[in-house]
Amino acid sequence: MLIRLVLQTGVLLLLLGLALFGGAGTSRWPAGWALLGLFGTGSLMAGVFLLRHDPALLRERMTLPMHAEQPRRDKLLLLGIGLLWFAWLAGMGAAHRPAWPLPLHLLGAALFVAAYAVIAWTFAANSFASPAVRVQSGRGHRVVDTGPYAWVRHPMYGGALLLFLALPLVLGSPAGLLGVPVLAALLALRTGWEEAALRTGLPGYAAYAARVRHRFLPGLW
């Protein structure tokens, strides 16, 4: 599974690089290479952690997020988010500012690391953190209320919001910040679908949602 992890990470970096440098029109873009380095390091570290501590979750997350029991609308939404993601990266490549202040690049890198820390914490707490909206009855799916789930119901999406904020700062693209609310709105839409499925199919989730009121950010939403 380690070889598959490395290969999938390599393919991801290749696709990210094509979007970033294709949009920028040049490969001579240090911020673009820095972002690829962050993505590569973060993905490999998270993957190796799961390989050692939760191989079943790693296998789940390395599988395409398309399952027979997954609602069709979720499949379409994931496809739309994926296309929008790469278009967003290409747009940030085209709109980047080479003279972007270094402290903003560093702030973006710090937010990127924080995002991956939240995601890793989520993986450590929840062995059922599938990329697809579905109840994993074959894996003994149950409600998880420890770790970050004691604070918010969807910590993975909270980490994704940090990641969305981080990317335009790392890349030096103020125009890229315009994509953040769009992607956040799509995550909020998906959260509603996910919660409906969990309330219906996962015993105890409704009671958990009554205890833990916030979805993404403690004290806010």
Side-chain angles (χ1 to χ4, degrees):
M1 204 180 324
L2 178 60
I3 294 176
R4 182 180 172 189
L5 170 65
V6 172
L7 290 175
Q8 286 195 357
T9 302
V11 171
L12 171 64
L13 293 178
L14 176 61
L15 294 175
L16 292 175
L18 289 174
L20 289 169
F21 299 119
T26 178
S27 61
R28 296 181 179 179
W29 183 21
W33 288 109
L35 183 63
L36 290 184
L38 287 169
F39 264 118
T41 302
S43 297
L44 287 175
M45 288 180 65
V48 170
F49 171 79
L50 288 179
L51 184 61
R52 295 186 61 182
H53 298 280
D54 196 342
L57 178 56
L58 177 60
R59 189 175 298 107
E60 173 73 20
R61 296 204 63 84
M62 287 198 303
T63 303
L64 284 176
M66 302 293 172
H67 300 269
E69 69 272 28
Q70 180 184 4
R72 183 172 180 268
R73 63 183 183 181
D74 187 54
K75 296 177 183 178
L76 293 175
L77 181 61
L78 283 179
L79 177 61
I81 290 175
L83 294 175
L84 179 60
W85 169 265
F86 284 104
W88 183 47
L89 291 177
M92 286 191 287
H96 78 280
R97 293 182 179 178
W100 188 253
L102 179 60
L104 292 180
H105 286 293
L106 296 177
L107 174 60
L111 288 174
F112 190 100
V113 172
Y116 262 77
V118 171
I119 292 169
W121 191 19
T122 302
F123 288 161
N126 185 7
S127 183
F128 311 105
S130 172
V133 171
R134 68 192 187 102
V135 175
Q136 302 166 63
S137 53
R139 297 185 60 217
H141 198 169
R142 58 177 176 79
V143 172
V144 175
D145 58 3
T146 58
Y149 290 90
W151 300 91
V152 292
R153 302 200 296 271
H154 301 276
M156 181 78 74
Y157 293 157
L161 290 178
L162 287 176
L163 192 66
F164 296 159
L165 286 172
L167 265 59
L169 296 176
V170 171
L171 294 174
S173 177
L177 292 169
L178 297 175
V180 175
V182 176
L183 290 166
L186 291 175
L187 284 187
L189 173 63
R190 190 173 194 239
T191 299
W193 297 351
E194 186 172 346
E195 294 221 326
L198 292 174
R199 289 174 187 272
T200 302
L202 189 62
Y205 188 83
Y208 163 70
R211 294 196 312 273
V212 179
R213 297 176 55 193
H214 297 104
R215 297 181 178 183
F216 291 177
L217 302 172
L220 294 177
W221 193 76

